[in-house]
């Protein structure tokens, strides 16, 4: 029997307001939506994610964005961390540096205007932001962080140098189908396979070919369950060792609202049931279980999903638009 493939159920945990105006007025309602997603059918943001994982005996990797807490209070970050920690999940660091100019005091002299991506910041600024993120996480009891993901996957070469300086040895920011990811590293690094760079182990976002031959990230909100299952099966046949899936705390909610998106909820439930039933073939892993370094593993080709699975996703998309 071949070795089980490592699967990482990774979640980017973020809080956003509706734009950058009147942040203080908007934040309370935004926090409720992004953290809890309360509706008459239940809490379908972070609590429902944790409930489904627990029901299936699975552990997730939660990349938590802490910079908002430097504006709105460490107690808000503690609420998020305590929810995740209660389930025994893996907590790592996520940064959206566009919060920088909203913080008081600003984290460094150059943080005086909106810059969305981490790659827009100097090496020293990236180090300052990562250290601030680590300090905020330490204030809510999260120590020993070893993994990182840049907001919008927007890392660059300096990000890896900054991570190494800050003692973080694993990164999951590369995304082959995201133009903002590693713009200065394309042609230099393999965006689809694990590798070491600047003293950091890179575990890229998994990308597969859908039924039409297009590359697609393995993201809950962007793929049908059939596509995710097909990509997992294909990756295992190809001998892929690590498969990184992505979701967010708000991904099971309808856009702009707190009501659950029933299609995405069913999709996540089906994915978790499937992985729980296939433990001899897929090991749902955490970053804490990942070796510090390993030889680069380059697959002969990308995993793939069949045309019926992709057509099913198109049908789901039409249904979601119709249902609102």
């Amino acid at each position: 029997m071949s070795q089980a493939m490592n699967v990482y159920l990774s979640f980017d945990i973020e809080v956003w307001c509706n734009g950058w105006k009147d942040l203080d007025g908007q934040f309370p309602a935004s926090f409720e939506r992004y953290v809890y997603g309360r509706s008459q059918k239940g809490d379908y943001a972070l609590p429902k994610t944790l409930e489904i994982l627990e029901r299936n005996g699975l552990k997730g990797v939660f990349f938590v964005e802490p910079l908002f807490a430097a504006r709105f209070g460490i107690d808000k970050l503690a609420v998020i961390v305590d929810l995740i920690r209660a389930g025994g999940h893996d907590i790592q660091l996520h940064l959206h540096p566009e919060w920088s100019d909203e913080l008081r005091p600003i984290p460094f002299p150059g943080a005086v205007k909106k810059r969305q991506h981490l790659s827009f910041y100097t090496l020293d600024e990236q180090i300052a932001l990562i250290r601030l993120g680590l300090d905020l996480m330490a204030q809510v009891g999260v120590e020993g962080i070893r993994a990182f993901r840049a907001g919008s996957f927007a890392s660059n070469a300096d990000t890896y140098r900054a991570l190494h300086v800050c003692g973080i040895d694993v990164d999951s920011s590369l995304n082959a189908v995201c133009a903002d990811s590693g713009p200065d590293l394309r042609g230099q690094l393999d965006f689809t396979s694990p590798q070491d760079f600047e003293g950091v182990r890179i575990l890229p976002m998994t990308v597969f070919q859908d039924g039409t031959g297009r590359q697609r990230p393995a993201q809950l909100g962007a793929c049908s369950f059939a596509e995710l299952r097909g990509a997992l099966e294909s990756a295992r046949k190809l001998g892929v060792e690590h498969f990184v899936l992505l979701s967010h705390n708000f991904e099971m909610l309808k856009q702009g609202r707190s009501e659950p998106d029933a299609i995405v909820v069913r999709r996540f439930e089906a994915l978790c049931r499937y992985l729980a039933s296939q433990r001899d073939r897929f090991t749902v892993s955490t970053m804490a279980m990942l070796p510090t370094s390993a030889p680069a593993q380059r697959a002969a080709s990308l995993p793939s999903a069949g045309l019926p699975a992709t057509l099913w996703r198109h049908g789901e998309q039409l249904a979601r638009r119709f249902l609102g």
Side-chain angles (χ1 to χ4, degrees), residues 85-119:
R85 189 160 42 200
H89 298 284
D90 190 14
I91 301 176
Q92 305 293 346
L93 181 64
H94 185 47
L95 286 185
H96 272 280
E98 54 265 52
W99 279 104
S100 299
D101 62 311
E102 308 292 346
L103 308 184
R104 299 294 180 269
I106 58 174
F108 48 81
V112 293
K113 63 179 180 179
K114 192 69 65 187
R115 283 182 284 168
Q116 182 178 2
H117 297 317
L118 198 58
S119 57

PDB file of all heavy atoms in Angstrom, residues 85-119:
ATOM      1  N   ARG A  85      -8.414  27.488  19.406  1.00  0.00           N
ATOM      2  CA  ARG A  85      -7.591  26.710  20.325  1.00  0.00           C
ATOM      3  C   ARG A  85      -8.415  25.665  21.071  1.00  0.00           C
ATOM      4  O   ARG A  85      -7.917  24.577  21.394  1.00  0.00           O
ATOM      5  CB  ARG A  85      -6.895  27.654  21.301  1.00  0.00           C
ATOM      6  CG  ARG A  85      -5.848  26.993  22.181  1.00  0.00           C
ATOM      7  CD  ARG A  85      -4.879  28.019  22.750  1.00  0.00           C
ATOM      8  NE  ARG A  85      -5.533  29.230  23.196  1.00  0.00           N
ATOM      9  CZ  ARG A  85      -4.881  30.397  23.364  1.00  0.00           C
ATOM     10  NH1 ARG A  85      -3.592  30.476  23.118  1.00  0.00           N
ATOM     11  NH2 ARG A  85      -5.517  31.467  23.789  1.00  0.00           N
ATOM     12  N   ALA A  86      -9.688  25.950  21.325  1.00  0.00           N
ATOM     13  CA  ALA A  86     -10.542  25.004  22.040  1.00  0.00           C
ATOM     14  C   ALA A  86     -10.682  23.684  21.293  1.00  0.00           C
ATOM     15  O   ALA A  86     -10.908  22.635  21.897  1.00  0.00           O
ATOM     16  CB  ALA A  86     -11.917  25.616  22.272  1.00  0.00           C
ATOM     17  N   GLY A  87     -10.537  23.723  19.970  1.00  0.00           N
ATOM     18  CA  GLY A  87     -10.626  22.509  19.169  1.00  0.00           C
ATOM     19  C   GLY A  87      -9.294  21.834  18.938  1.00  0.00           C
ATOM     20  O   GLY A  87      -9.229  20.821  18.220  1.00  0.00           O
ATOM     21  N   GLY A  88      -8.227  22.382  19.512  1.00  0.00           N
ATOM     22  CA  GLY A  88      -6.912  21.779  19.370  1.00  0.00           C
ATOM     23  C   GLY A  88      -6.311  21.922  17.996  1.00  0.00           C
ATOM     24  O   GLY A  88      -5.481  21.090  17.574  1.00  0.00           O
ATOM     25  N   HIS A  89      -6.673  22.986  17.294  1.00  0.00           N
ATOM     26  CA  HIS A  89      -6.199  23.160  15.927  1.00  0.00           C
ATOM     27  C   HIS A  89      -4.848  23.877  15.885  1.00  0.00           C
ATOM     28  O   HIS A  89      -4.390  24.445  16.873  1.00  0.00           O
ATOM     29  CB  HIS A  89      -7.236  23.929  15.110  1.00  0.00           C
ATOM     30  CG  HIS A  89      -8.545  23.213  14.988  1.00  0.00           C
ATOM     31  ND1 HIS A  89      -8.742  22.146  14.151  1.00  0.00           N
ATOM     32  CD2 HIS A  89      -9.728  23.399  15.643  1.00  0.00           C
ATOM     33  CE1 HIS A  89      -9.973  21.708  14.268  1.00  0.00           C
ATOM     34  NE2 HIS A  89     -10.596  22.444  15.179  1.00  0.00           N
ATOM     35  N   ASP A  90      -4.245  23.854  14.723  1.00  0.00           N
ATOM     36  CA  ASP A  90      -2.942  24.468  14.476  1.00  0.00           C
ATOM     37  C   ASP A  90      -3.151  25.952  14.178  1.00  0.00           C
ATOM     38  O   ASP A  90      -3.913  26.303  13.262  1.00  0.00           O
ATOM     39  CB  ASP A  90      -2.292  23.754  13.279  1.00  0.00           C
ATOM     40  CG  ASP A  90      -0.847  24.130  13.066  1.00  0.00           C
ATOM     41  OD1 ASP A  90      -0.229  24.728  13.970  1.00  0.00           O
ATOM     42  OD2 ASP A  90      -0.313  23.815  11.975  1.00  0.00           O
ATOM     43  N   ILE A  91      -2.507  26.842  14.927  1.00  0.00           N
ATOM     44  CA  ILE A  91      -2.653  28.285  14.739  1.00  0.00           C
ATOM     45  C   ILE A  91      -1.337  28.862  14.239  1.00  0.00           C
ATOM     46  O   ILE A  91      -0.291  28.707  14.879  1.00  0.00           O
ATOM     47  CB  ILE A  91      -3.080  28.975  16.048  1.00  0.00           C
ATOM     48  CG1 ILE A  91      -4.412  28.401  16.546  1.00  0.00           C
ATOM     49  CG2 ILE A  91      -3.202  30.479  15.834  1.00  0.00           C
ATOM     50  CD1 ILE A  91      -4.865  28.958  17.883  1.00  0.00           C
ATOM     51  N   GLN A  92      -1.390  29.522  13.087  1.00  0.00           N
ATOM     52  CA  GLN A  92      -0.211  30.120  12.480  1.00  0.00           C
ATOM     53  C   GLN A  92      -0.520  31.566  12.092  1.00  0.00           C
ATOM     54  O   GLN A  92      -1.585  32.077  12.419  1.00  0.00           O
ATOM     55  CB  GLN A  92       0.238  29.279  11.276  1.00  0.00           C
ATOM     56  CG  GLN A  92       0.499  27.809  11.583  1.00  0.00           C
ATOM     57  CD  GLN A  92       1.700  27.570  12.500  1.00  0.00           C
ATOM     58  OE1 GLN A  92       2.525  28.463  12.729  1.00  0.00           O
ATOM     59  NE2 GLN A  92       1.804  26.354  13.038  1.00  0.00           N
ATOM     60  N   LEU A  93       0.425  32.234  11.426  1.00  0.00           N
ATOM     61  CA  LEU A  93       0.346  33.683  11.207  1.00  0.00           C
ATOM     62  C   LEU A  93      -0.046  34.038   9.770  1.00  0.00           C
ATOM     63  O   LEU A  93       0.478  33.481   8.809  1.00  0.00           O
ATOM     64  CB  LEU A  93       1.697  34.329  11.530  1.00  0.00           C
ATOM     65  CG  LEU A  93       1.783  35.853  11.385  1.00  0.00           C
ATOM     66  CD1 LEU A  93       0.855  36.549  12.370  1.00  0.00           C
ATOM     67  CD2 LEU A  93       3.225  36.330  11.587  1.00  0.00           C
ATOM     68  N   HIS A  94      -0.965  34.986   9.675  1.00  0.00           N
ATOM     69  CA  HIS A  94      -1.435  35.535   8.401  1.00  0.00           C
ATOM     70  C   HIS A  94      -1.354  37.053   8.526  1.00  0.00           C
ATOM     71  O   HIS A  94      -1.660  37.606   9.589  1.00  0.00           O
ATOM     72  CB  HIS A  94      -2.881  35.079   8.179  1.00  0.00           C
ATOM     73  CG  HIS A  94      -3.482  35.453   6.868  1.00  0.00           C
ATOM     74  ND1 HIS A  94      -2.849  35.269   5.662  1.00  0.00           N
ATOM     75  CD2 HIS A  94      -4.715  35.987   6.568  1.00  0.00           C
ATOM     76  CE1 HIS A  94      -3.648  35.652   4.679  1.00  0.00           C
ATOM     77  NE2 HIS A  94      -4.774  36.097   5.197  1.00  0.00           N
ATOM     78  N   LEU A  95      -0.929  37.754   7.478  1.00  0.00           N
ATOM     79  CA  LEU A  95      -0.834  39.220   7.564  1.00  0.00           C
ATOM     80  C   LEU A  95      -1.464  39.883   6.348  1.00  0.00           C
ATOM     81  O   LEU A  95      -1.163  39.528   5.204  1.00  0.00           O
ATOM     82  CB  LEU A  95       0.631  39.679   7.646  1.00  0.00           C
ATOM     83  CG  LEU A  95       1.398  39.490   8.950  1.00  0.00           C
ATOM     84  CD1 LEU A  95       2.772  40.142   8.824  1.00  0.00           C
ATOM     85  CD2 LEU A  95       0.649  40.062  10.143  1.00  0.00           C
ATOM     86  N   HIS A  96      -2.319  40.865   6.615  1.00  0.00           N
ATOM     87  CA  HIS A  96      -2.818  41.780   5.586  1.00  0.00           C
ATOM     88  C   HIS A  96      -2.269  43.163   5.928  1.00  0.00           C
ATOM     89  O   HIS A  96      -2.837  43.884   6.751  1.00  0.00           O
ATOM     90  CB  HIS A  96      -4.345  41.777   5.555  1.00  0.00           C
ATOM     91  CG  HIS A  96      -4.908  40.728   4.661  1.00  0.00           C
ATOM     92  ND1 HIS A  96      -4.998  40.879   3.296  1.00  0.00           N
ATOM     93  CD2 HIS A  96      -5.388  39.490   4.931  1.00  0.00           C
ATOM     94  CE1 HIS A  96      -5.532  39.800   2.758  1.00  0.00           C
ATOM     95  NE2 HIS A  96      -5.769  38.926   3.727  1.00  0.00           N
ATOM     96  N   PRO A  97      -1.158  43.563   5.302  1.00  0.00           N
ATOM     97  CA  PRO A  97      -0.480  44.797   5.716  1.00  0.00           C
ATOM     98  C   PRO A  97      -1.242  46.071   5.393  1.00  0.00           C
ATOM     99  O   PRO A  97      -0.842  47.152   5.841  1.00  0.00           O
ATOM    100  CB  PRO A  97       0.845  44.741   4.933  1.00  0.00           C
ATOM    101  CG  PRO A  97       0.538  43.895   3.733  1.00  0.00           C
ATOM    102  CD  PRO A  97      -0.436  42.865   4.220  1.00  0.00           C
ATOM    103  N   GLU A  98      -2.359  45.966   4.639  1.00  0.00           N
ATOM    104  CA  GLU A  98      -3.140  47.173   4.372  1.00  0.00           C
ATOM    105  C   GLU A  98      -3.753  47.767   5.634  1.00  0.00           C
ATOM    106  O   GLU A  98      -4.298  48.878   5.614  1.00  0.00           O
ATOM    107  CB  GLU A  98      -4.221  46.916   3.317  1.00  0.00           C
ATOM    108  CG  GLU A  98      -5.152  45.762   3.587  1.00  0.00           C
ATOM    109  CD  GLU A  98      -4.722  44.462   2.912  1.00  0.00           C
ATOM    110  OE1 GLU A  98      -3.547  44.070   3.103  1.00  0.00           O
ATOM    111  OE2 GLU A  98      -5.530  43.850   2.211  1.00  0.00           O
ATOM    112  N   TRP A  99      -3.653  47.031   6.757  1.00  0.00           N
ATOM    113  CA  TRP A  99      -4.063  47.588   8.048  1.00  0.00           C
ATOM    114  C   TRP A  99      -3.027  48.592   8.588  1.00  0.00           C
ATOM    115  O   TRP A  99      -3.327  49.373   9.504  1.00  0.00           O
ATOM    116  CB  TRP A  99      -4.232  46.468   9.080  1.00  0.00           C
ATOM    117  CG  TRP A  99      -5.538  45.744   9.004  1.00  0.00           C
ATOM    118  CD1 TRP A  99      -5.766  44.501   8.483  1.00  0.00           C
ATOM    119  CD2 TRP A  99      -6.799  46.209   9.476  1.00  0.00           C
ATOM    120  NE1 TRP A  99      -7.093  44.165   8.596  1.00  0.00           N
ATOM    121  CE2 TRP A  99      -7.755  45.194   9.211  1.00  0.00           C
ATOM    122  CE3 TRP A  99      -7.228  47.379  10.104  1.00  0.00           C
ATOM    123  CZ2 TRP A  99      -9.106  45.331   9.538  1.00  0.00           C
ATOM    124  CZ3 TRP A  99      -8.579  47.508  10.435  1.00  0.00           C
ATOM    125  CH2 TRP A  99      -9.495  46.493  10.151  1.00  0.00           C
ATOM    126  N   SER A 100      -1.815  48.580   8.042  1.00  0.00           N
ATOM    127  CA  SER A 100      -0.694  49.302   8.667  1.00  0.00           C
ATOM    128  C   SER A 100      -0.980  50.776   8.922  1.00  0.00           C
ATOM    129  O   SER A 100      -0.701  51.292  10.015  1.00  0.00           O
ATOM    130  CB  SER A 100       0.566  49.185   7.786  1.00  0.00           C
ATOM    131  OG  SER A 100       0.955  47.840   7.652  1.00  0.00           O
ATOM    132  N   ASP A 101      -1.522  51.478   7.926  1.00  0.00           N
ATOM    133  CA  ASP A 101      -1.730  52.914   8.096  1.00  0.00           C
ATOM    134  C   ASP A 101      -2.940  53.243   8.957  1.00  0.00           C
ATOM    135  O   ASP A 101      -3.181  54.409   9.289  1.00  0.00           O
ATOM    136  CB  ASP A 101      -1.859  53.594   6.731  1.00  0.00           C
ATOM    137  CG  ASP A 101      -3.066  53.091   5.952  1.00  0.00           C
ATOM    138  OD1 ASP A 101      -3.234  51.863   5.854  1.00  0.00           O
ATOM    139  OD2 ASP A 101      -3.856  53.919   5.447  1.00  0.00           O
ATOM    140  N   GLU A 102      -3.703  52.205   9.338  1.00  0.00           N
ATOM    141  CA  GLU A 102      -4.867  52.413  10.209  1.00  0.00           C
ATOM    142  C   GLU A 102      -4.527  52.250  11.689  1.00  0.00           C
ATOM    143  O   GLU A 102      -5.365  52.529  12.554  1.00  0.00           O
ATOM    144  CB  GLU A 102      -5.986  51.422   9.849  1.00  0.00           C
ATOM    145  CG  GLU A 102      -6.369  51.384   8.382  1.00  0.00           C
ATOM    146  CD  GLU A 102      -7.052  52.659   7.906  1.00  0.00           C
ATOM    147  OE1 GLU A 102      -7.476  53.472   8.769  1.00  0.00           O
ATOM    148  OE2 GLU A 102      -7.159  52.846   6.683  1.00  0.00           O
ATOM    149  N   LEU A 103      -3.319  51.783  11.982  1.00  0.00           N
ATOM    150  CA  LEU A 103      -2.943  51.495  13.358  1.00  0.00           C
ATOM    151  C   LEU A 103      -2.466  52.763  14.067  1.00  0.00           C
ATOM    152  O   LEU A 103      -1.885  53.647  13.448  1.00  0.00           O
ATOM    153  CB  LEU A 103      -1.857  50.426  13.392  1.00  0.00           C
ATOM    154  CG  LEU A 103      -2.151  49.139  12.603  1.00  0.00           C
ATOM    155  CD1 LEU A 103      -1.035  48.128  12.800  1.00  0.00           C
ATOM    156  CD2 LEU A 103      -3.501  48.560  12.994  1.00  0.00           C
ATOM    157  N   ARG A 104      -2.683  52.817  15.356  1.00  0.00           N
ATOM    158  CA  ARG A 104      -2.235  53.951  16.165  1.00  0.00           C
ATOM    159  C   ARG A 104      -1.541  53.421  17.411  1.00  0.00           C
ATOM    160  O   ARG A 104      -2.181  52.770  18.233  1.00  0.00           O
ATOM    161  CB  ARG A 104      -3.418  54.852  16.548  1.00  0.00           C
ATOM    162  CG  ARG A 104      -4.134  55.453  15.356  1.00  0.00           C
ATOM    163  CD  ARG A 104      -3.247  56.453  14.585  1.00  0.00           C
ATOM    164  NE  ARG A 104      -3.968  57.023  13.450  1.00  0.00           N
ATOM    165  CZ  ARG A 104      -3.980  56.525  12.223  1.00  0.00           C
ATOM    166  NH1 ARG A 104      -3.286  55.420  11.964  1.00  0.00           N
ATOM    167  NH2 ARG A 104      -4.653  57.122  11.270  1.00  0.00           N
ATOM    168  N   PRO A 105      -0.224  53.651  17.563  1.00  0.00           N
ATOM    169  CA  PRO A 105       0.634  54.374  16.629  1.00  0.00           C
ATOM    170  C   PRO A 105       0.932  53.534  15.386  1.00  0.00           C
ATOM    171  O   PRO A 105       0.777  52.311  15.404  1.00  0.00           O
ATOM    172  CB  PRO A 105       1.910  54.614  17.451  1.00  0.00           C
ATOM    173  CG  PRO A 105       1.957  53.447  18.389  1.00  0.00           C
ATOM    174  CD  PRO A 105       0.528  53.162  18.749  1.00  0.00           C
ATOM    175  N   ILE A 106       1.369  54.197  14.322  1.00  0.00           N
ATOM    176  CA  ILE A 106       1.734  53.457  13.120  1.00  0.00           C
ATOM    177  C   ILE A 106       2.960  52.585  13.420  1.00  0.00           C
ATOM    178  O   ILE A 106       3.801  52.943  14.248  1.00  0.00           O
ATOM    179  CB  ILE A 106       2.009  54.402  11.926  1.00  0.00           C
ATOM    180  CG1 ILE A 106       3.121  55.410  12.250  1.00  0.00           C
ATOM    181  CG2 ILE A 106       0.744  55.110  11.482  1.00  0.00           C
ATOM    182  CD1 ILE A 106       3.528  56.262  11.046  1.00  0.00           C
ATOM    183  N   PRO A 107       3.079  51.432  12.782  1.00  0.00           N
ATOM    184  CA  PRO A 107       4.125  50.478  13.154  1.00  0.00           C
ATOM    185  C   PRO A 107       5.535  50.853  12.706  1.00  0.00           C
ATOM    186  O   PRO A 107       6.504  50.329  13.243  1.00  0.00           O
ATOM    187  CB  PRO A 107       3.665  49.186  12.480  1.00  0.00           C
ATOM    188  CG  PRO A 107       2.807  49.632  11.345  1.00  0.00           C
ATOM    189  CD  PRO A 107       2.131  50.887  11.807  1.00  0.00           C
ATOM    190  N   PHE A 108       5.659  51.749  11.737  1.00  0.00           N
ATOM    191  CA  PHE A 108       6.965  52.246  11.292  1.00  0.00           C
ATOM    192  C   PHE A 108       6.735  53.542  10.527  1.00  0.00           C
ATOM    193  O   PHE A 108       5.605  53.820  10.082  1.00  0.00           O
ATOM    194  CB  PHE A 108       7.700  51.206  10.423  1.00  0.00           C
ATOM    195  CG  PHE A 108       6.855  50.601   9.347  1.00  0.00           C
ATOM    196  CD1 PHE A 108       6.638  51.259   8.145  1.00  0.00           C
ATOM    197  CD2 PHE A 108       6.260  49.360   9.533  1.00  0.00           C
ATOM    198  CE1 PHE A 108       5.842  50.698   7.159  1.00  0.00           C
ATOM    199  CE2 PHE A 108       5.466  48.797   8.558  1.00  0.00           C
ATOM    200  CZ  PHE A 108       5.252  49.469   7.363  1.00  0.00           C
ATOM    201  N   PRO A 109       7.760  54.385  10.376  1.00  0.00           N
ATOM    202  CA  PRO A 109       7.558  55.726   9.808  1.00  0.00           C
ATOM    203  C   PRO A 109       6.898  55.746   8.432  1.00  0.00           C
ATOM    204  O   PRO A 109       6.160  56.676   8.109  1.00  0.00           O
ATOM    205  CB  PRO A 109       8.984  56.299   9.743  1.00  0.00           C
ATOM    206  CG  PRO A 109       9.706  55.586  10.839  1.00  0.00           C
ATOM    207  CD  PRO A 109       9.143  54.197  10.852  1.00  0.00           C
ATOM    208  N   GLY A 110       7.132  54.714   7.591  1.00  0.00           N
ATOM    209  CA  GLY A 110       6.587  54.725   6.234  1.00  0.00           C
ATOM    210  C   GLY A 110       5.139  54.299   6.130  1.00  0.00           C
ATOM    211  O   GLY A 110       4.571  54.316   5.031  1.00  0.00           O
ATOM    212  N   ALA A 111       4.518  53.958   7.247  1.00  0.00           N
ATOM    213  CA  ALA A 111       3.134  53.461   7.211  1.00  0.00           C
ATOM    214  C   ALA A 111       2.150  54.616   7.264  1.00  0.00           C
ATOM    215  O   ALA A 111       1.354  54.757   8.198  1.00  0.00           O
ATOM    216  CB  ALA A 111       2.902  52.487   8.367  1.00  0.00           C
ATOM    217  N   VAL A 112       2.177  55.453   6.235  1.00  0.00           N
ATOM    218  CA  VAL A 112       1.342  56.646   6.244  1.00  0.00           C
ATOM    219  C   VAL A 112       0.329  56.658   5.104  1.00  0.00           C
ATOM    220  O   VAL A 112      -0.478  57.576   5.003  1.00  0.00           O
ATOM    221  CB  VAL A 112       2.214  57.919   6.167  1.00  0.00           C
ATOM    222  CG1 VAL A 112       3.037  58.067   7.438  1.00  0.00           C
ATOM    223  CG2 VAL A 112       3.129  57.884   4.950  1.00  0.00           C
ATOM    224  N   LYS A 113       0.364  55.644   4.224  1.00  0.00           N
ATOM    225  CA  LYS A 113      -0.627  55.550   3.155  1.00  0.00           C
ATOM    226  C   LYS A 113      -0.937  54.083   2.895  1.00  0.00           C
ATOM    227  O   LYS A 113      -0.186  53.188   3.296  1.00  0.00           O
ATOM    228  CB  LYS A 113      -0.117  56.224   1.875  1.00  0.00           C
ATOM    229  CG  LYS A 113       1.117  55.575   1.272  1.00  0.00           C
ATOM    230  CD  LYS A 113       1.535  56.293  -0.005  1.00  0.00           C
ATOM    231  CE  LYS A 113       2.778  55.627  -0.620  1.00  0.00           C
ATOM    232  NZ  LYS A 113       3.184  56.287  -1.880  1.00  0.00           N
ATOM    233  N   LYS A 114      -2.050  53.845   2.221  1.00  0.00           N
ATOM    234  CA  LYS A 114      -2.528  52.490   1.990  1.00  0.00           C
ATOM    235  C   LYS A 114      -1.636  51.765   0.969  1.00  0.00           C
ATOM    236  O   LYS A 114      -1.458  52.226  -0.152  1.00  0.00           O
ATOM    237  CB  LYS A 114      -3.963  52.526   1.496  1.00  0.00           C
ATOM    238  CG  LYS A 114      -4.687  51.197   1.493  1.00  0.00           C
ATOM    239  CD  LYS A 114      -4.960  50.715   2.907  1.00  0.00           C
ATOM    240  CE  LYS A 114      -5.920  51.630   3.633  1.00  0.00           C
ATOM    241  NZ  LYS A 114      -6.066  51.273   5.066  1.00  0.00           N
ATOM    242  N   ARG A 115      -1.071  50.641   1.411  1.00  0.00           N
ATOM    243  CA  ARG A 115      -0.336  49.751   0.506  1.00  0.00           C
ATOM    244  C   ARG A 115      -0.883  48.344   0.738  1.00  0.00           C
ATOM    245  O   ARG A 115      -0.735  47.793   1.823  1.00  0.00           O
ATOM    246  CB  ARG A 115       1.172  49.801   0.785  1.00  0.00           C
ATOM    247  CG  ARG A 115       1.863  51.034   0.234  1.00  0.00           C
ATOM    248  CD  ARG A 115       3.357  50.999   0.502  1.00  0.00           C
ATOM    249  NE  ARG A 115       3.671  51.325   1.892  1.00  0.00           N
ATOM    250  CZ  ARG A 115       4.873  51.140   2.447  1.00  0.00           C
ATOM    251  NH1 ARG A 115       5.848  50.572   1.756  1.00  0.00           N
ATOM    252  NH2 ARG A 115       5.081  51.475   3.709  1.00  0.00           N
ATOM    253  N   GLN A 116      -1.490  47.770  -0.256  1.00  0.00           N
ATOM    254  CA  GLN A 116      -2.257  46.548  -0.048  1.00  0.00           C
ATOM    255  C   GLN A 116      -1.395  45.323   0.198  1.00  0.00           C
ATOM    256  O   GLN A 116      -1.684  44.533   1.098  1.00  0.00           O
ATOM    257  CB  GLN A 116      -3.166  46.288  -1.249  1.00  0.00           C
ATOM    258  CG  GLN A 116      -4.043  45.036  -1.081  1.00  0.00           C
ATOM    259  CD  GLN A 116      -4.976  44.816  -2.242  1.00  0.00           C
ATOM    260  OE1 GLN A 116      -4.962  45.568  -3.220  1.00  0.00           O
ATOM    261  NE2 GLN A 116      -5.808  43.784  -2.151  1.00  0.00           N
ATOM    262  N   HIS A 117      -0.369  45.136  -0.608  1.00  0.00           N
ATOM    263  CA  HIS A 117       0.333  43.860  -0.601  1.00  0.00           C
ATOM    264  C   HIS A 117       1.658  43.915   0.155  1.00  0.00           C
ATOM    265  O   HIS A 117       2.369  44.926   0.117  1.00  0.00           O
ATOM    266  CB  HIS A 117       0.598  43.394  -2.030  1.00  0.00           C
ATOM    267  CG  HIS A 117      -0.653  43.136  -2.806  1.00  0.00           C
ATOM    268  ND1 HIS A 117      -1.730  42.473  -2.277  1.00  0.00           N
ATOM    269  CD2 HIS A 117      -0.997  43.459  -4.085  1.00  0.00           C
ATOM    270  CE1 HIS A 117      -2.687  42.393  -3.188  1.00  0.00           C
ATOM    271  NE2 HIS A 117      -2.272  42.987  -4.288  1.00  0.00           N
ATOM    272  N   LEU A 118       2.006  42.811   0.799  1.00  0.00           N
ATOM    273  CA  LEU A 118       3.269  42.726   1.527  1.00  0.00           C
ATOM    274  C   LEU A 118       4.451  42.977   0.596  1.00  0.00           C
ATOM    275  O   LEU A 118       5.469  43.535   1.013  1.00  0.00           O
ATOM    276  CB  LEU A 118       3.389  41.344   2.183  1.00  0.00           C
ATOM    277  CG  LEU A 118       4.410  41.180   3.308  1.00  0.00           C
ATOM    278  CD1 LEU A 118       4.142  42.155   4.446  1.00  0.00           C
ATOM    279  CD2 LEU A 118       4.409  39.745   3.826  1.00  0.00           C
ATOM    280  N   SER A 119       4.331  42.590  -0.653  1.00  0.00           N
ATOM    281  CA  SER A 119       5.424  42.790  -1.620  1.00  0.00           C
ATOM    282  C   SER A 119       5.662  44.261  -1.925  1.00  0.00           C
ATOM    283  O   SER A 119       6.666  44.602  -2.556  1.00  0.00           O
ATOM    284  CB  SER A 119       5.117  42.031  -2.914  1.00  0.00           C
ATOM    285  OG  SER A 119       3.881  42.444  -3.474  1.00  0.00           O
TER     286      SER A 119
END
